[in-house]
Amino acid sequence: MTGPVDPADFAAAFAALYAAHQVADHWVQTQRQADRKGLPGWAGRIACAAHVASYTLTAAVALTLVAAATGWRPNLLAVAAGLAVSAVSHYVADRRTPLRRLADLLGKDPAWLERGGGLYALDQSWHVGWLFVAALIVAV
């Protein structure tokens, strides 16, 4: 980072990224992407990449709308870096296996993971945690 992050810039970036996340993960993502993104091999990789592409575009639109509405002028390289962090971390989570292995390593209850909504909760909290990091980068 080049200096302190302005709290208002961070708040604007995080709000935009969080809203975009909710829209992109639940509305923009196609059913085909949702069904296939965790599959092994190229079918899963391609579905996940397509989802992450539309997810990242949604985030870019949200940041652009915040900038247009408020006069905020974020550094474009910082925006690109923040979006890249968001995209890569989203892809890793949505391939499913990495988060499942982490959950198993941490001793999460398999019944909670499979039937109690645990995998979804861990997925969403992973995404929001990385959105926090991405917003810090965007706000630099």
Side-chain angles (χ1 to χ4, degrees):
M1 287 193 218
T2 60
V5 172
D6 183 310
D9 292 347
F10 167 75
F14 185 78
L17 292 173
Y18 184 78
H21 165 77
Q22 292 297 317
V23 172
D25 233 20
H26 300 104
W27 287 96
V28 175
Q29 177 175 214
T30 67
Q31 190 61 51
R32 181 175 173 85
Q33 291 166 349
D35 292 342
R36 299 177 62 104
K37 66 187 178 183
L39 294 177
W42 282 104
R45 290 184 196 109
I46 290 168
C48 194
H51 165 53
V52 170
S54 65
Y55 178 92
T56 304
L57 179 60
T58 304
V61 168
L63 290 168
T64 300
L65 290 172
V66 168
T70 66
W72 175 46
R73 296 293 171 247
N75 177 296
L76 294 182
L77 288 176
V79 169
L83 289 174
V85 164
S86 177
V88 169
S89 66
H90 201 92
Y91 181 89
V92 168
D94 280 12
R95 289 295 289 142
R96 306 243 197 281
T97 303
L99 283 191
R100 179 56 194 250
R101 286 185 180 154
L102 184 57
D104 290 342
L105 181 69
L106 294 173
K108 300 297 180 187
D109 178 17
W112 175 69
L113 292 173
E114 296 297 332
R115 294 182 301 281
L119 287 174
Y120 178 77
L122 293 176
D123 171 83
Q124 291 300 299
S125 63
W126 171 274
H127 293 323
V128 173
W130 282 104
L131 291 177
F132 179 88
V133 173
L136 284 172
I137 294 168
V138 168
V140 168

